[in-house]
Amino acid sequence: MAIFAANWKMHLGPSEVRQFAQRFSAKVPPRPGQRLVFFPSAVSVEAATEAFAARTDIEIGCQDVHWEPKGAFTGATSVALAASAGARCVLIGHSERRHVFGESDEDTRRKVRAVLDGGLDPFLCVGEKLEQREAGETERVVVRQLEAACDGLSPAEAGRLVIAYEPVWAIGTGRNATPDDAAAVHRTIRSVLTARGGESVPILYGGSVNQKNVQALMARPEIDGVLVGGASLDPDGWAEVVTFGQAV
Ligand code: PEP
């Protein structure tokens, strides 16, 4: 089943989300086997949950959580709070969390643990920076991030992950990995997951995916879906990405 996931970052407040949902739902009806995921800002998770309540093919996620269940962590969202607003999954280790907010591999491991323990599904992002790709370190970096985040997981827990391979140099830059480049990294990720019992875990590609390149990416059997930022913000544009990507 192909997954189309939208990361709205710091865009779309509750009323904009309601408008988006109305317009998008009219353009993309439910289809058997369709799995659509939206990651709104934390302030819009409940609005998104309500706006898409009639759609069993759509789930809402949170862009980040703290690993602690509660406490004095100003600005942070716990897994239980995310779930109470309707979130069913959480993005973990997005490159902006890693490289803008300084999150470590150990932070991502704690978050994966907390999300699984809280009954939600982790969407774990991994990806190399440009200098790492140019130094031939892509596989080493991606495997390190993956192994660190999966440390201590049982095979059943590993099986609940969704992975997004997002090369940092391709996010929001208009440059994207070629389908061949992405597929090669996805094969590496698949072999790590298989060794951990997560052989059927979906592996998404992310990084400047849009209406023009989605088909070539989705045509690769190694790519099980896409995680998209910029091209998911407009309901008409996102409807096109989903429709073109499913037509492969
Ligand atoms: C992202 O934020 O996960 C992302 C892939 O962004 P963009 O599609 O804008 O590159």
Side-chain angles (χ1 to χ4, degrees), residues 101-143:
F101 294 95
E103 283 186 9
S104 66
D105 286 345
E106 172 60 8
D107 294 340
T108 64
R109 186 196 64 75
R110 288 174 168 164
K111 290 181 179 190
V112 167
R113 179 80 267 154
V115 168
L116 288 169
D117 289 347
L120 305 190
D121 293 334
F123 277 52
L124 173 69
C125 304
V126 295
E128 81 287 2
K129 297 206 263 188
L130 184 58
E131 61 266 31
Q132 293 167 326
R133 171 159 284 256
E134 286 173 343
E137 294 173 354
T138 298
E139 294 213 345
R140 187 184 62 75
V141 171
V142 166
V143 170

Side-chain angles (χ1 to χ4, degrees), residues 4-244:
F4 293 84
N7 174 15
W8 284 342
K9 310 193 189 197
M10 209 161 68
H11 302 281
L12 304 186
S15 64
E16 292 164 309
V17 163
R18 284 189 274 274
Q19 283 166 21
F20 183 110
Q22 221 170 15
R23 192 159 175 102
F24 178 81
S25 294
K27 298 216 158 205
V28 181
R31 278 174 46 162
Q34 176 167 273
R35 186 173 175 197
L36 309 177
V37 188
F38 291 94
F39 292 97
S41 154
V43 299
S44 297
V45 166
E46 190 167 14
T49 301
E50 286 169 4
F52 285 119
R55 298 284 300 256
T56 53
D57 57 325
I58 293 182
E59 67 196 272
I60 306 303
C62 215
Q63 292 174 17
D64 183 40
V65 286
H66 198 289
W67 56 82
E68 291 290 345
K70 58 172 68 155
F73 301 103
T74 301
T77 304
S78 69
V79 176
L81 287 177
S84 72
R88 288 165 50 199
C89 49
V90 181
L91 275 185
I92 297 175
H94 189 278
S95 72
E96 287 147 20
R97 298 301 318 172
R98 292 179 191 267
H99 302 302
V100 179
F101 294 95
E103 283 186 9
S104 66
D105 286 345
E106 172 60 8
D107 294 340
T108 64
R109 186 196 64 75
R110 288 174 168 164
K111 290 181 179 190
V112 167
R113 179 80 267 154
V115 168
L116 288 169
D117 289 347
L120 305 190
D121 293 334
F123 277 52
L124 173 69
C125 304
V126 295
E128 81 287 2
K129 297 206 263 188
L130 184 58
E131 61 266 31
Q132 293 167 326
R133 171 159 284 256
E134 286 173 343
E137 294 173 354
T138 298
E139 294 213 345
R140 187 184 62 75
V141 171
V142 166
V143 170
R144 190 206 75 221
Q145 292 173 338
L146 195 55
E147 294 281 18
C150 293
D151 191 31
L153 300 189
S154 68
E157 289 170 332
R160 284 172 52 199
L161 294 169
V162 174
I163 305 297
Y165 167 56
E166 299 206 304
V168 181
W169 47 271
I171 298 179
T173 59
R175 293 179 64 182
N176 66 335
T178 65
D180 281 350
D181 287 341
V185 180
H186 280 220
R187 283 194 293 274
T188 301
I189 294 171
R190 175 70 61 215
S191 66
V192 174
L193 291 168
T194 300
R196 291 184 164 273
E199 53 280 341
S200 50
V201 162
I203 306 175
L204 317 183
Y205 171 77
S208 296
V209 175
N210 57 36
Q211 293 93 323
K212 294 199 180 98
N213 56 33
V214 67
Q215 283 194 323
L217 290 160
M218 291 300 295
R220 298 301 304 240
E222 296 90 343
I223 299 179
D224 301 313
V226 288
L227 174 61
V228 182
S232 72
L233 293 175
D234 168 67
D236 297 340
W238 184 232
E240 283 181 359
V241 174
V242 170
T243 307
F244 296 167

